[in-house]
């Protein structure tokens, strides 16, 4: 449905200016894109991240006059909003996005409808005690108990249509199974299930949709009935409070903590909880199967290797999640992404757009089941309100995919146009028609197919298990002790795009060692990754293995690419400094600078020319922009002289041995903070030595948990042990992926990521390596 924009922009223009300072179509600062934004139209419904590409690229935070909301589209801005639940209140999360008319309101009132705060829309300080009180049934341990039921349901539903050759998976399975699981999880008695099934969709339309005036009354009747029915079920549950179920758990907790778990809360949660658990998962499962069947190679891969399913689930949730957007209310004047937002503004945070943000996800639009940071997606929200049911949803999706890949690997999408219930947030196709040739059903030839089972991974980060198989295309000695390795996908398909500064993690055969290498080839060559590996004198085994054992034609495992050393493309001048094999990312950066027309210079040092990789190629390409310093030829770089004059707008990128980086840091002390960006190859960190370490206490303020970090474990491991998802890549203070926000604490920063200013500010730390300074110091994290 299209809605015409109001004749006049309703905002107070004195409150803000667009970053560009330009006026929009009507002379007001709302741009064409912002004025035309319609989250109920077909563009958004079919593909929200694509629909908002213009905003991510040009106007990441904009005011939508149609909606009366500020719309936020980039990953970092949205994550920062989720992180700060005091400045950005969740109180409007379940508010009707389209206010209903008087008639519908009267209908709702006639049912005594009083949906109030649940968890998801509750502010602090009330929210966290309630979340903690109700958390236990969501722990991985407690969830295991539901696995046999989910498996049984998946089996029974597929049994019903496996011999038909055609099915609408939404109507025939994916709507009902998650609903049944949700009801079991909540503890709803079986005889009430059918009635509840009828009501739940009305709640979505009522909350996140734009029902027409004539529909509003019918929706209001359904919602009113849903509300009353939820109350009756709750009464029934109270009569049998020892039964299993999250609601019964809540009823028992109410006795212990009556002021935390109130009557109003239980009634609201009975209704909202069902939608939270059901539609989200039903839609996510339908989106996932649709996406996988639209990418037959990925589908075939998971059919052949079901251990890829957990990460494929994360990638589906990232690429095409079932919650496309969420809401927050700004409680004070704030600036988001450079845009001033007045207190009281409503924010529509488009998580599905954040999940396609190139700044966070390499080749973000690519559907890549091997993506190693897929689980960074914001589909489950983040921070203190992050979805409590995420691991139940993951378990269901993993089991459904396992059942389908085993029993219907030959299933294909039927010809169809997908339709969606128009709303801002909950997203999944209303129907999903698939077809297959029943004579090829594997279980007809081999009934043992039915018995195979892949263990479900609950609550575990999928990262450790994700890798990509590659074929070594060629190896070539390009300088003394430097081997150029070219890698391709075994089937020659295009690889995820990469940007200069990206690295991959190469698994070194069966040595158990994995090493990071910067990509140094041509990003335009879409089917090849190229690295250059120096055989290190004191090799810990990685470079020795690559030089000694890697041969063309071999298969290897790798992870990535990832980029923690991004080139700032807005710099006015680039000073690119490399020492030895540190030339690999610098070579890629120089090529990019050349392509973009950014003035640049390269300073490349080495001990002997014969050991310096790529110098002749670089000279041919960059001519006088390349300065080579060869120690054996008596020419050394003088960084003090090079950087004596501060050059406004210039940025220095450096990669090389620690000594060189220290010299550079020294030489640019008088430059603006953060002028120097560095990539380290090696870390001075060794393994944790328990004899030299001490344990310490860490408080997770938003989760309300206090943990003891032992002297033989990292903070990262302690956090993961408490079921907090934290990314990690290098685990030795190099990459910045395990950063956690610090509120208080005296910290021994051991990483090589934070700048001097950041360390002094002490608002973040790298959880894989940094610790509390003393046994007595207590760290408080905003997690
Ligand atoms: C909260 C998404 C499945 C229970 C949320 C939030 C989102 C979300 C976006 C708000 C996060 C925030 O404000 O930071 C999803 C998706 C699911 C899913 C995409 C499926 C793929 C489930 C399931 C359950 C559940 C199966 C229950 C069994 C909850 C609860 C909260 C919540 C209780 C409120 C947590 C709080 O505010 O402290 N979910 N959800 N969700 N979800 Fe889910
Ligand atoms: Fe790389 Fe911590 S995991 S810095």
């Amino acid at each position: 449905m299209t809605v015409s924009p109001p004749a006049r922009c309703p905002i107070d223009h004195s409150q803000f200016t667009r970053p560009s300072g330009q006026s929009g179509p009507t002379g007001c600062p709302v741009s064409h894109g912002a004025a035309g934004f319609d989250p109920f139209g077909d563009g958004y419904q079919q593909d929200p991240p694509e629909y908002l590409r213009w905003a991510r690229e040009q106007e990441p935070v904009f005011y939508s006059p149609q909606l009366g909301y500020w719309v936020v589209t980039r990953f970092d801005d949205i994550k920062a909003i989720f992180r700060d639940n005091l400045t950005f209140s969740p109180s409007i999360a379940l508010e009707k996005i389209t206010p209903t008319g008087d008639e519908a309101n009267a209908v709702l009132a006639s049912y005594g409808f009083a949906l109030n705060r649940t968890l998801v829309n509750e502010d602090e300080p009330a929210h966290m005690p309630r979340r903690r009180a109700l958390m236990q049934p969501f722990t991985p341990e407690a969830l295991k108990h539901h696995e046999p039921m989910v498996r049984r349901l998946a089996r029974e539903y597929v049994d019903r249509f496996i011999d038909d050759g055609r099915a609408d998976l939404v109507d025939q399975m994916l709507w009902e199974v998650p609903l049944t699981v949700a009801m079991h999880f909540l503890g709803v008695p079986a005889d009430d299930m059918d009635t509840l099934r009828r009501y739940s969709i009305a709640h979505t339309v009522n909350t996140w949709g734009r029902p027409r005036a004539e529909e509003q009354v019918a929706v209001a009747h359904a919602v009113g009935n849903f509300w009353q029915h939820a109350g009756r079920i709750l009464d029934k549950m109270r009569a049998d409070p020892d039964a299993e179920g999250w609601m019964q758990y809540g009823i028992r907790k109410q006795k212990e903590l009556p002021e935390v778990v109130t009557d109003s809360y239980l009634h609201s949660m009975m209704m909202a909880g069902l939608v939270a658990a059901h539609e989200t998962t039903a839609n996510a499962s339908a989106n996932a199967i649709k996406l996988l069947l639209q990418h037959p190679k990925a589908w075939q891969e998971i059919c052949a290797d079901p251990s890829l399913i957990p990460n494929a689930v994360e990638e589906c949730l990232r690429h095409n999640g079932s919650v496309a957007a969420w809401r927050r209310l700004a409680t004070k004047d704030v600036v988001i992404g450079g845009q001033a937002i007045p207190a009281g503004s409503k924010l529509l945070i488009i998580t599905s757009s954040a999940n396609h943000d190139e700044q966070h996800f390499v080749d973000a639009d690519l559907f890549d089941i091997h993506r190693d940071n897929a689980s960074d997606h914001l589909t489950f929200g983040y921070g203190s309100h992050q979805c409590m049911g995420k691991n139940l949803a993951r378990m269901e999706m993993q089991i459904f995919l396992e059942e389908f890949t085993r029993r219907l690997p030959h299933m294909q999408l039927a010809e169809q146009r997908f339709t969606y219930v128009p709303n801002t947030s909950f997203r999944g196709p209303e129907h999903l028609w698939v077809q297959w040739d029943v004579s090829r059903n594997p279980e007809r030839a081999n009934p043992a197919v039915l018995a195979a089972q892949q263990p479900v991974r609950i609550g575990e980060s999928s990262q450790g298990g994700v890798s990509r198989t590659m074929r070594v295309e060629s190896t070539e000695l390009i300088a003394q002790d430097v081997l150029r390795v070219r890698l391709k996908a075994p089937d020659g398909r295009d690889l995820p795009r990469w940007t200069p500064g990206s690295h991959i993690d190469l698994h070194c055969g069966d040595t158990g060692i994995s090493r990071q290498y910067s990509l140094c080839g041509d990003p335009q060559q879409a089917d090849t990754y190229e690295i250059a590996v120096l055989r290190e004198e004191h090799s810990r085994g990685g470079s020795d293995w690559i030089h000694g054992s890697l041969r063309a034609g071999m298969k290897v495992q790798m992870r990535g690419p990832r980029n923690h050393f991004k080139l700032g493309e807005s710099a006015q001048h680039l000073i690119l400094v490399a020492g030895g094999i540190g030339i690999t990312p610098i070579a890629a950066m120089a090529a990019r600078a050349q392509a973009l027309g950014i003035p640049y210079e390269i300073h490349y040092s080495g001990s002997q020319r014969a050991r310096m990789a790529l110098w002749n190629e670089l000279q041919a390409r960059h001519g006088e922009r390349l300065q080579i310093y060869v120690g054996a030829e008596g020419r050394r770089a003088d960084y003090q002289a090079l950087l004596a004059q501060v050059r406004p707008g210039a940025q220095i990128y450096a990669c090389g041995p620690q000594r060189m980086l220290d010299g550079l840091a020294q030489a640019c002390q008088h430059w603006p903070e953060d002028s120097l960006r560095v990539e380290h190859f090696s870390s001075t960190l060794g393994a944790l030595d328990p004899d030299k370490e001490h344990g310490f206490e860490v408080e997770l303020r938003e989760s309300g948990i206090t943990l003891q970090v032992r002297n033989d474990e990292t903070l990262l491991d302690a956090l993961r042990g408490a079921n907090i998802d934290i990314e990690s890549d290098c685990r030795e203070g190099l990459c910045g992926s395990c950063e956690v926000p610090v509120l208080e604490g005296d910290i021994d920063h051991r990483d090589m990521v934070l700048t001097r200013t950041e360390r002094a500010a002490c608002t973040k730390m790298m959880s894989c390596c940094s610790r509390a300074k003393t046994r007595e110091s207590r760290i408080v994290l905003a997690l």
Side-chain angles (χ1 to χ4, degrees):
M1 186 195 328
T2 46
V3 179
S4 8
R8 201 170 53 79
C9 173
I11 48 170
D12 173 2
H13 294 163
S14 62
Q15 297 273 15
F16 80 109
T17 49
R18 290 175 65 206
S20 59
Q22 297 156 358
S23 290
T26 53
C28 89
V30 174
S31 66
H32 275 288
F37 173 69
D38 176 9
F40 306 105
D42 199 48
Y44 180 89
Q45 293 306 318
Q46 290 292 336
D47 190 347
E50 183 55 35
Y51 183 70
L52 280 152
R53 180 185 301 283
W54 68 273
R56 274 195 308 286
E57 290 171 0
Q58 299 157 31
E59 200 182 351
V61 181
F62 66 86
Y63 184 79
S64 160
Q66 271 195 41
L67 213 56
Y69 275 68
W70 286 90
V71 180
V72 188
T73 58
R74 283 191 181 160
F75 186 93
D76 285 347
D77 294 334
I78 293 183
K79 193 156 176 181
I81 289 170
F82 274 131
R83 265 201 177 114
D84 182 353
N85 64 337
L86 300 179
T87 307
F88 303 105
S89 155
S91 54
I92 58 166
L94 299 183
E95 197 176 276
K96 287 180 206 149
I97 204 156
T98 306
T100 37
D102 291 344
E103 199 185 341
N105 289 340
V107 169
L108 281 171
S110 72
Y111 287 91
F113 178 73
L115 183 73
N116 209 325
R117 298 297 176 96
T118 63
L119 274 172
V120 81
N121 58 354
E122 181 68 281
D123 281 312
E124 303 306 340
H127 163 258
M128 197 44 81
R130 190 176 284 168
R131 182 173 164 107
R132 283 166 61 199
L134 299 170
M135 183 62 107
Q136 196 279 335
F138 289 102
T139 54
E141 205 45 45
L143 288 179
K144 274 200 192 109
H145 158 78
H146 298 284
E147 185 181 334
M149 178 228 347
V150 180
R151 286 196 186 276
R152 181 177 49 74
L153 286 168
R155 170 66 45 94
E156 282 171 13
Y157 274 73
V158 175
D159 281 347
R160 292 181 195 173
F161 55 70
I162 186 132
D163 291 322
D164 296 351
R166 190 173 155 82
D168 174 358
L169 293 184
V170 172
D171 267 3
Q172 292 176 252
M173 173 170 173
L174 298 177
W175 189 252
E176 286 193 10
V177 175
L179 179 57
T180 313
V181 174
M183 290 197 265
H184 276 289
F185 178 79
L186 291 172
V188 174
D191 52 338
D192 285 304
M193 289 193 181
D194 281 341
T195 324
L196 282 185
R197 260 179 210 146
R198 289 204 306 276
Y199 294 143
S200 73
I201 199 160
H203 176 61
T204 299
V205 175
N206 188 45
T207 312
W208 292 280
R210 176 158 288 186
R212 287 187 301 273
E214 61 276 21
E215 281 170 343
Q216 283 184 11
V217 172
V219 167
H221 278 292
V223 171
N225 273 312
F226 190 177
W227 175 252
Q228 290 197 344
H229 195 72
R232 282 192 294 273
I233 296 177
L234 200 58
D235 290 341
K236 229 189 247 182
M237 287 173 165
R238 284 189 197 282
D240 184 12
D242 292 331
E244 277 185 18
W246 189 43
M247 293 306 300
Q248 286 85 347
Y249 184 84
I251 291 168
R252 295 196 289 277
K253 277 278 163 189
Q254 190 179 35
K255 297 211 169 70
E256 216 179 285
L257 303 164
E259 68 298 342
V260 173
V261 186
T262 58
D263 277 345
S264 150
Y265 164 74
L266 284 174
H267 195 160
S268 299
M269 197 62 203
M270 180 63 228
M271 183 166 160
L274 198 59
V275 179
H278 166 219
E279 282 184 48
T280 51
T281 316
N283 284 333
S285 306
N287 287 336
I289 293 165
K290 168 173 172 276
L291 199 53
L292 283 159
L293 294 181
Q294 283 170 332
H295 295 84
K297 283 189 173 158
W299 175 254
Q300 283 150 18
E301 269 188 88
I302 63 167
C303 289
D305 179 1
S307 72
L308 294 171
I309 289 177
N311 203 59
V313 164
E314 296 305 318
E315 178 65 352
C316 290
L317 286 165
R318 182 195 74 85
H319 199 279
N320 193 4
S322 54
V323 173
W326 210 242
R327 283 181 283 168
R328 289 290 190 259
L329 177 73
T331 58
K332 58 181 188 203
D333 290 355
V334 278
V335 174
I336 305 173
Q339 175 65 63
I341 309 267
S345 297
K346 294 179 176 185
L347 309 177
L348 185 68
I349 48 180
I350 316 270
T351 43
S352 51
S353 166
N355 290 343
H356 282 246
D357 187 337
E358 286 281 334
Q359 291 303 313
H360 193 83
F361 297 101
V362 166
D363 207 354
D365 294 332
L366 182 77
F367 177 62
D368 176 10
I369 60 169
H370 297 275
R371 186 183 294 277
D372 67 349
N373 67 342
S375 58
D376 268 10
H377 63 76
L378 296 175
T379 304
F380 289 128
Y382 184 77
S384 57
H385 287 269
Q386 195 187 39
C387 178
M388 286 164 84
K390 64 185 176 179
N391 289 329
L392 180 59
R394 284 169 167 156
M395 175 164 90
E396 289 183 58
M397 292 173 74
Q398 287 177 27
I399 291 174
F400 297 162
L401 284 184
E402 202 201 311
E403 191 75 6
F404 284 125
T405 50
R406 218 162 4 92
R407 302 182 68 188
L408 288 170
H410 50 313
M411 156 171 109
Q412 290 175 333
L413 276 183
E415 198 56 39
Q416 65 206 294
R417 175 166 168 79
F418 296 103
T419 56
Y420 298 85
V421 174
N423 78 101
T424 55
S425 298
F426 282 24
R427 195 171 174 280
E430 289 180 288
H431 302 280
L432 178 62
W433 281 101
V434 292
Q435 61 197 23
W436 62 94
D437 174 356
V438 290
S439 68
R440 290 174 52 213
N441 288 2
E443 62 208 54
R444 293 198 172 184
N446 176 15
V449 165
L450 284 170
Q453 215 174 73
Q454 181 73 19
V456 168
R457 287 228 297 262
I458 323 175
E460 212 182 287
S461 156
S462 59
Q463 281 185 19
V466 198
S467 61
R468 213 182 282 284
T469 304
M470 302 287 278
R471 186 171 51 78
V472 180
E473 174 72 6
S474 65
T475 60
E476 179 195 356
L477 212 53
I478 53 168
Q480 190 183 323
D481 285 337
V482 180
L483 193 70
R484 170 156 46 204
V485 180
R486 290 203 167 102
L487 302 167
K488 282 186 191 281
D491 60 0
R493 76 171 83 165
D494 282 357
L495 297 164
R497 276 183 301 122
W498 60 280
T499 46
S502 300
H503 68 266
I504 59 167
D505 270 66
L506 195 67
H507 300 281
C508 302
D510 50 14
T511 61
I513 297 172
S514 164
R515 286 282 165 264
Q516 298 186 340
Y517 295 104
S518 298
L519 290 171
C520 61
D522 176 4
Q524 302 301 323
Q525 206 179 339
D527 62 352
T528 309
Y529 288 154
E530 186 177 307
I531 54 172
V533 180
L534 172 73
R535 185 196 282 264
E536 289 180 53
E537 223 176 295
H538 304 292
S539 167
R540 286 181 281 172
S543 68
D544 265 354
W545 181 84
I546 291 172
H547 277 255
S549 307
L550 202 67
R551 297 281 175 272
M554 270 170 69
K555 298 265 177 67
V556 281
Q557 295 294 314
M558 60 153 270
R559 287 173 60 206
R562 308 200 70 185
N563 197 342
H564 302 303
F565 186 43
K566 286 200 182 87
L567 183 69
E569 298 191 343
S570 56
Q572 287 160 27
H573 185 89
L574 290 167
I575 303 172
L576 305 172
V577 185
I581 195 64
I583 193 62
T584 48
I586 296 297
M589 286 180 172
R592 180 72 182 153
Q594 190 178 47
L596 291 174
I598 304 174
Y600 65 99
E601 56 198 82
I602 314 166
H603 299 270
Y604 180 15
S605 315
S607 55
Q608 301 160 39
R609 206 171 276 261
R611 297 178 65 83
M612 292 172 70
L614 305 173
W615 72 265
N616 36 6
E617 287 174 32
L618 289 167
Q619 202 159 51
R621 180 165 190 169
H622 301 288
E624 288 180 356
R625 291 185 185 274
L626 173 72
Q627 294 292 321
I628 296 187
Y629 310 91
V630 186
E633 296 171 14
R635 187 163 185 238
R636 286 177 205 283
D638 178 353
Y639 300 126
Q640 291 289 352
L642 178 70
L643 302 172
Q645 291 277 328
V646 174
R647 289 189 253 172
Q651 190 77 53
I652 311 159
Y653 286 83
C655 184
Q658 191 60 43
R659 201 162 22 90
M660 180 194 102
L661 300 177
D662 291 344
L664 274 170
Q666 189 68 29
C668 66
Q669 290 263 8
H670 56 298
W671 281 59
E673 179 62 33
D674 298 336
S675 297
L676 172 65
R677 308 268 163 89
V678 298
E679 163 105 309
H680 299 264
F681 312 125
S682 62
S683 162
T684 46
L685 287 170
L688 208 61
D689 180 351
D691 293 339
K692 296 196 179 130
E693 304 294 349
H694 50 76
F696 58 95
E697 190 170 273
V698 54
E699 178 190 332
L700 312 183
R701 178 98 9 120
E702 289 166 10
S703 318
I705 301 174
T706 299
L707 300 173
Q708 295 301 326
V709 181
R710 293 190 316 264
N711 63 342
D712 63 348
E713 67 177 348
T714 61
L715 172 58
L716 176 68
D717 290 334
L719 291 171
R720 288 222 175 121
N723 202 21
I724 310 275
D725 289 346
I726 308 275
E727 243 191 285
S728 74
D729 192 349
C730 69
R731 299 183 65 105
E732 51 178 343
L734 298 174
C735 73
S737 63
C738 66
E739 179 185 311
V740 290
V742 176
L743 295 173
E744 288 167 30
D746 204 4
I747 290 162
D748 176 7
H749 289 286
R750 303 181 182 183
D751 62 275
M752 297 195 167
V753 177
L754 297 180
T755 62
R756 270 175 305 176
T757 329
E758 284 170 329
R759 282 177 183 225
C762 213
T763 55
K764 42 184 119 161
M765 69 186 285
M766 297 303 140
S767 59
C768 67
C769 59
S770 300
R771 308 177 70 83
K773 257 202 185 122
T774 63
R775 198 182 305 275
E776 291 71 38
S777 20
R778 182 168 197 270
I779 297 180
V780 183
L781 300 178
L783 286 176

